[in-house]
Amino acid sequence: MSHARQELLRLLATKSFRLGEFKLSSGSTSDYYIDCRTTTLDARGSQLTGQVFLDEIRQRGWRPNAIGGLTMGADPVVVAVAVTSGEIHGFLIRKTEKQHGTGQRIEGFREKGARVVIVDDVCTTGASTIQAIETAREFGFEIAGAMCLVEREEAKGRPNVEKAAAPAPFVSIFTATDVRRQHLKQKVQASPPIFAVAASCELCGRPAVTNMPRNRCEVHRT
């Protein structure tokens, strides 16, 4: 993992990830919540978002003319990539058509036939990403790929987006599991060690050296 990617993961784990009981936009409940905008709108977070997305796009050889997505989760990602690249334009897709002026639904870059990448911050059901893909194609864009910052790995989000994007690929920078693991790791590292007495590691049976959050030996404490 590149330094920029690792630093972005640490920021997401610190600023965007929360444990608790939350109701999601899909109507389901979850024991965690990820608000990527607290990272993508952070000064350093924006720099890292632009660099990591751009690195992934270049590594895959997509060569898009523009990058865009459904407002407002995609907004900071689009701007970050456009600014970082200095050559990939940005566009934003309204949730509904504008009711005044030109009435257009796509704002910014509007060149029919252009290759574009669709982005989003979080993918749960994939509904917002799919809406952006369909709108972009209806306008006349060619979809080179679809990307999200964090994939929640639930509610059939990935297969839904993959089906809508095909034959273009769908890529996630991180999964919710990645962010949760980093969040818990940072939480343990930030807390003073609590040493277990006469306890065994729950994973291997060796003498435990900590009981926070669980009985763990020196090898498995993180």
Side-chain angles (χ1 to χ4, degrees):
M1 185 181 296
S2 70
H3 177 75
R5 199 178 184 109
Q6 183 61 53
E7 188 178 351
L8 180 57
L9 177 59
R10 287 196 294 266
L11 270 181
L12 283 166
T14 302
K15 291 180 172 291
S16 298
F17 188 90
R18 296 290 181 271
L19 289 171
E21 186 175 339
F22 303 94
K23 186 172 183 178
L24 306 178
S25 59
S26 63
S28 61
T29 58
S30 175
D31 68 344
Y32 72 94
Y33 184 69
I34 300 179
D35 180 4
C36 286
R37 282 164 294 193
T38 56
T39 294
T40 57
L41 289 172
D42 174 82
R44 180 57 178 159
S46 179
Q47 290 180 318
L48 293 167
T49 298
Q51 188 60 59
V52 170
F53 270 78
L54 184 59
D55 287 346
E56 188 72 29
I57 289 169
R58 287 175 172 168
Q59 181 180 336
R60 292 179 177 275
W62 287 345
R63 299 183 181 278
N65 303 110
I67 185 170
L70 193 71
T71 193
M72 58 182 298
D75 297 7
V77 178
V78 170
V79 174
V81 175
V83 170
T84 302
S85 71
E87 60 183 12
I88 299 176
H89 305 293
F91 63 91
L92 303 176
I93 300 176
R94 295 175 178 271
K95 293 180 180 179
T96 58
E97 289 185 357
K98 189 165 68 171
Q99 300 302 310
H100 57 279
T102 58
Q104 61 194 30
R105 190 173 177 190
I106 295 179
E107 301 288 353
F109 181 83
R110 291 170 55 84
E111 184 178 313
K112 292 183 183 295
R115 286 175 58 82
V116 304
V117 172
I118 299 298
V119 296
D120 211 338
D121 56 357
V122 177
C123 176
T124 304
T125 64
S128 60
T129 310
I130 293 169
Q131 189 176 350
I133 290 170
E134 292 175 346
T135 303
R137 280 193 171 133
E138 288 172 5
F139 174 78
F141 286 143
E142 176 190 349
I143 308 297
M147 303 175 70
C148 74
L149 180 54
V150 178
E151 178 190 345
R152 287 187 61 106
E153 306 169 283
E154 58 191 51
K156 298 183 179 179
R158 170 166 285 277
N160 290 341
V161 176
E162 286 179 333
K163 181 179 179 180
F170 170 56
V171 176
S172 59
I173 301 298
F174 303 111
T175 64
T177 300
D178 295 330
V179 183
R180 180 194 284 268
R181 185 183 297 117
Q182 182 66 33
H183 175 82
L184 294 175
K185 179 180 178 180
Q186 292 174 185
K187 188 175 181 180
V188 170
Q189 291 175 341
S191 303
I194 299 177
F195 296 100
V197 178
S200 299
C201 176
E202 296 177 4
L203 295 179
C204 68
R206 295 188 182 94
V209 297
T210 181
N211 60 7
M212 191 180 76
R214 305 291 292 275
N215 289 338
R216 295 288 189 267
C217 66
E218 185 65 41
V219 174
H220 295 118
R221 66 184 300 174
T222 56

